[in-house]
Structures are given as C-alpha cells and as structure tokens.
Amino acid sequence: MAMGRAHVSTDRPVAGRFRPVEITHRETNRVRWYADDLRTGRPFLVTRIGLPPDAGDAVRRAPSRVLRTAGIVSRLCPERTATVVETAVEGGFLWIVTAWIDGTPLDDVLAGEGAFDPVRAARTGLDLLDVLDAAHAGGLTHGELSPGEVFLRPGGPLVVAGYGLTGTTPAPRLTAPSYAAPEQARGEPAGPAADLWALGAILYALCEGRAPFRDRGRFEATLRGVDRLPLRAPVRAGPLTPVVQGLLCKEARERPTGAAVREALARVVREDTGVAPTAGPDTRPRGGHSPALLCAGREVSRRAVVLGAVPAAAGVAALVLAATRGLSGTATGTSSGPPPASASGPTGSGPPDSGRDEPEPGGRGAAPAPTGPPGSAGLPPGYRTLHAPEGFSVALPAGWQRLDTSGVSGLAYRVTFGADDDPRRLAVTYSERVGTDAVAVWRDDVEPLLRRSGGYRRIGGIRATTYRGREAADMEWFTAADGTRVRTFGRGFLLGGGRGFSLRWTTPADGWAEPGSREALRTFLRTFRP
C-alpha cells in the first residue's frame, strides 16, 4: 500500500491557523509537530498522515470522521484521549490538530531509557487497557494503536491519541504497520481483538525494547511479515510472557479477553508489590457501568503508576535544581525568573494541555520542548542558536549575550544571558551534586536560600514533570531585585549520577505575560539542549 508523498510546505499554516514549528515525533507514515495557534498563541500538536492514492471519496470523509470519533471517545473516557480540535486534507495528507499533550510517546521513552521491567510494563498496560475498555464498551475500535500514540504524562494518567483513523480509507492500516494485527495485514476490518493485539505488541516492545515484528521499510512487506512470520519469543518479559504471547496469537478468536488480560496484568503488579491495584469495572455488557467510569476505576493506583513511570518516561530536561548549595545563593533576583510554561500559578495550574483560551499565569502559555536538534528553522525572527563551551545550546533573542559566569570548584556553574537594555534574564545552571528527586532539589536546596531574599513568595506548588525524557520539576516565584518585583520560572531536570541542569527565566513581574516574554520562554524550553 503506497502512501502519499506530496510535498507540503509547513510554512503554510494548517487549516489557515496552526503553524508547525518543530517536529517532535516521527513514526512510519506519521509525523508530528509542535505548532503555534496564530490566533491565540497557544501550543498544539499537528500530525500529518499520508493517504493512499486510491482512497477515493473516503478522503473527503476522513476529516469529519476523525473529529466525530475523537469527540465520542473523549466523552467515553474523559482526559485520557487526545482532544482533536481541527482536521483537514491538504496536499495528499490528512492533518490532525490536537490540544497540547504534556507527555512523551512511549517509543520516545523507550529510545531514551531502554526497556521497561515487567512490573512497570504491566502498570502501563493496565492504564492503556482502561482506555481500550471504555472505547470498546462504546463500540469504538482504535485500529492504529502503537507506542507513538500513547503518551506518558508526569502528573496524570497516560493519554491515547489517534482515534478515528481506522476506516477513514480502504487501507487496512495507515500508520505503524509493525503494530498492525494479522487480520488488518490481510485487509480485514479491525475490531476490538486488533486493539488487544496492539496492546500485546506494545507490552512486547516495552519489555524487549523493540517491536515484535520489524518495520521492513515498505508497508506491504511489513504487513506480510506480521501476518506470516512466527513471533520471536520474548526473553525479558518474565511473568508477562504468557499474556504477551496470548495477545499475539495470529487468530483473533484465540486471543484472551480484555477481562482476562486485566487480571493477568494486575497479578503481575500485585505479586511485585503485595497490594492489588484497584481494578477497573467489569467491561462486559452485563456489568452495568457507564463507559466513562471504566477510565476512573483505578485512579488511586494510577498516580503511583504514572509518577513511577515518568522519570524514565520522556522528555523533560528542564527543572532540576537550578542550583546546588554552592550556586543557589546567587540564584535570586535577576538570575532567576519567569513567566508561564507548564507551571502553575495562583490563577492557573498544570502543563499546557487543552481547552483553555489564553495562557494563564502559571503555565498554559508555553509548551514543553519538543525533541529535535536546535537551529534556525522554526525560530522566531531575530533569534539565533548559541552553542556554549560549557556543553549546552539554546536559542537567544537578538542582542542577547553572556552577561555573567560563576562556578564552584569545577563541580557546578551558572551562566546568565541577557542584554543591557533588557531587564529579562535567562540563567542556565549545571551541578554534579544534586540528588535523585527533582522536586526535593527545589524544596530543600533552593527554596531555603530564596526565602532569605527580599520579597520571596512561591507561586503555587513545586510540580514534578519530565523534560526531554528525564525527571524534572518546575517552580515559580516572586522576589525583589534592585527594588523591582520580578517573577521567575525555574525548570530543573536530572541527568543521573548526581548531575542536573536548570533553566531560570526572570522578568519584571508586571511584564511577564507580555507576548514577547511568553515567546522567549517557549523558545528557551523548546531549543535548550544539554
């Protein structure tokens, strides 16, 4: 099945409104961008999917089908599936715009951390099964499930994207053919059993570090392999081996039911911890539970699952201790500071995600940094990428330069950037003496020193997150510098082995919400690379 290859310039906004800025994810026949909404400045995700040339009339129906299906599944499983806000067919591609998801796709997590242990894989599988059960109870099949469509989030349950694609064209599978079920590979319609196959393939990949069937570079060849080749037996799945092999039975009718899979995964978690995870409601028709409750049934255990998975999960390279004990004393005032960016403030909280019109204080104004190398492409006018000799790079506004550098015995340093005629500052701090808990670094090492400075007041709580696949934390606060009240946003992230970076963005308090300041913070977070 050949997919469309027409060239589409991302200089042209999708649907006339959403401007792709930087690629955050690539998967077979699927590319995802971080995008700006030209009307509101809010961050979104834009996904491009190639369409088969023989799709015919189905192409015209695809956008409305995706919108409709995504809306239904969002009601069935609130806050657990991507919110689709716009769809379009342009240049031979299907474009899907979703609200920003503050999380990292599973395949990016695997690429950054390696395979999961069986217990962590089982917990992730239980979370994913919650979503599948709710959708199946409502008569909806995903049909395109793969690790690229499952986002791990630092502060909440995982989120599933991609609903509504299956059936939009005659093609058995539009993306990620190595996760297609054998019946899809044979051109048969996808049902709930195909989603359970994909769950098994994802569990296999989490444990083994690779898909059960490799992508052969051509859709047809990959699908033939899925259908005809025997499964390579998992070697690292441990107690998950029986359920993974059962889910990956070639014949759909031989695969275990969702209820049996749930019990098997829960047993693996229970035997490891000695505590049974809160089971989701029985999803069989006789159960009588509303579909939405299926996603809420394991909220107690889910927080521990997600927080345990996030440090390894995904993309957060920004919050770690902005300071060690040696440097944190210099971190007040102009060397710290910030407007919003996936932080929470007195009138808004949480990472940029969905459903709010304007960025609020505390964090819906800037997006976490997507992955990809920094450079001039996609930068705001006048910005340039600086490569510091200390070993990091970041894009800075025109006229900005290094203003100050300080260090402690070769184990830590802080570099402060700005311009003489600009009161705003960006401080980049590195240390080799930070702990293993990003939140604790802000709370125990940095905040006690900040309290000694004039006018210190923290805004909201210290928020655990992830940045560029690493454990991170965000903190936001007010202080006084030279008689001026300033606001600072700090994001720190852990590198392991006692090492960590932090970014601190400081601006006069009365100017932190200005569009230029919001854009600057978004750009720093998006382009910083250790």
Side-chain angles (χ1 to χ4, degrees):
M1 176 183 61
M3 293 296 179
R5 299 180 181 274
H7 173 73
V8 173
S9 171
T10 55
D11 293 334
R12 185 178 63 186
V14 175
R17 174 177 173 182
F18 302 95
R19 178 173 63 92
V21 175
E22 184 174 353
I23 291 174
T24 65
H25 190 77
R26 288 184 184 273
E27 199 173 8
T28 307
N29 201 40
R30 177 164 40 211
V31 182
R32 188 178 292 126
W33 280 266
Y34 159 81
D36 285 332
D37 182 349
L38 297 179
R39 297 182 188 174
T40 67
R42 288 169 49 203
F44 285 83
L45 291 174
V46 168
T47 302
R48 186 190 73 186
I49 297 168
L51 294 170
D54 58 349
D57 291 342
V59 169
R60 293 196 301 272
R61 297 191 297 269
S64 60
R65 182 186 177 100
V66 170
L67 268 176
R68 183 175 62 254
T69 304
I72 294 171
V73 78
S74 291
R75 291 191 291 273
L76 291 172
C77 202
E79 300 181 0
R80 301 293 306 280
T81 58
T83 301
V84 178
V85 298
E86 185 65 86
T87 56
V89 171
E90 298 176 0
F93 293 95
L94 173 62
W95 298 81
I96 302 173
V97 182
T98 65
W100 179 263
I101 302 171
D102 187 28
T104 305
L106 274 178
D107 49 359
D108 284 353
V109 177
L110 285 171
E113 304 176 17
F116 287 21
D117 64 76
V119 174
R120 185 182 176 196
R123 287 170 170 161
T124 304
L126 283 168
D127 259 6
L128 180 53
L129 190 59
D130 283 349
V131 179
L132 295 179
D133 281 349
H136 292 166
L140 296 177
T141 297
H142 191 293
E144 296 281 344
L145 198 61
S146 70
E149 295 286 55
V150 180
F151 291 74
L152 287 187
R153 295 191 298 172
L158 59 74
V159 171
V160 179
Y163 269 100
L165 287 176
T166 187
T168 55
T169 75
R173 180 97 176 188
L174 285 173
T175 65
S178 56
Y179 288 88
E183 57 267 32
Q184 290 177 287
R186 295 190 292 265
E188 300 168 7
D195 284 349
L196 291 176
W197 168 282
L199 171 62
I202 289 172
L203 290 171
Y204 185 105
L206 291 179
C207 294
E208 303 298 309
R210 55 176 170 78
F213 296 92
R214 70 180 179 90
D215 192 317
R216 297 172 178 272
R218 294 175 54 248
F219 248 75
E220 297 87 346
T222 302
L223 293 175
R224 279 198 301 270
V226 169
D227 184 31
R228 301 174 186 176
L229 294 178
L231 176 70
R232 294 175 288 181
V235 297
R236 299 189 181 102
L240 283 180
T241 299
V243 68
V244 169
Q245 291 180 319
L247 287 168
L248 295 179
C249 285
K250 299 284 189 181
E251 293 300 323
R253 64 178 178 274
E254 296 177 3
R255 294 170 204 153
T257 64
V261 172
R262 181 180 297 280
E263 173 54 32
L265 297 178
R267 187 183 309 117
V268 172
V269 175
R270 181 170 62 245
E271 292 176 354
D272 178 72
T273 63
V275 178
T278 306
D282 190 341
T283 61
R284 290 169 290 185
R286 60 180 175 81
H289 298 287
S290 70
L293 288 177
L294 299 176
C295 287
R298 293 173 47 253
E299 205 60 48
V300 173
S301 64
R302 182 174 300 122
R303 175 172 173 80
V305 171
V306 174
L307 290 179
V310 163
V316 220
L319 134 107
V320 86
L321 352 162
T324 65
R325 289 182 173 85
L327 287 180
S328 55
T330 66
T332 62
T334 58
S335 62
S336 47
S342 87
S344 77
T347 60
S349 61
D353 48 23
S354 62
R356 303 289 177 93
D357 286 338
E358 282 297 319
E360 299 181 54
R364 299 184 188 268
T371 57
S376 60
L379 294 181
Y383 278 70
R384 75 192 192 288
T385 299
L386 177 141
H387 297 273
E390 287 84 0
F392 65 87
S393 63
V394 65
L396 299 174
W400 275 43
Q401 59 187 343
R402 179 188 299 250
L403 297 180
D404 182 66
T405 303
S406 57
V408 178
S409 304
L411 298 176
Y413 63 78
R414 168 174 286 109
V415 182
T416 302
F417 298 98
D420 291 340
D421 58 351
D422 191 335
R424 304 172 303 169
R425 296 291 183 263
L426 171 69
V428 177
T429 301
Y430 170 81
S431 173
E432 295 184 0
R433 289 186 173 179
V434 299
T436 58
D437 184 332
V439 170
V441 175
W442 286 116
R443 183 189 64 226
D444 301 336
D445 294 346
V446 178
E447 189 167 41
L449 296 171
L450 291 172
R451 290 187 186 281
R452 301 174 191 170
S453 64
Y456 170 76
R457 179 169 69 84
R458 186 181 349 129
I459 303 170
I462 301 173
R463 298 163 299 279
T465 184
T466 54
Y467 181 69
R468 304 204 178 285
R470 300 184 183 275
E471 181 181 356
D474 292 350
M475 189 170 82
E476 194 171 350
W477 65 93
F478 290 115
T479 50
D482 299 325
T484 300
R485 192 172 188 237
V486 298
R487 184 168 181 166
T488 297
F489 168 80
R491 171 170 285 186
F493 68 96
L494 303 173
L495 299 176
R499 299 172 300 125
F501 269 101
S502 76
L503 305 179
R504 298 189 185 193
W505 166 244
T506 299
T507 185
D510 59 2
W512 75 273
E514 293 177 355
S517 289
R518 295 205 310 266
E519 179 179 65
L521 180 55
R522 279 200 301 269
T523 303
F524 297 149
L525 294 178
R526 182 165 60 84
T527 62
F528 181 79
R529 298 294 189 279

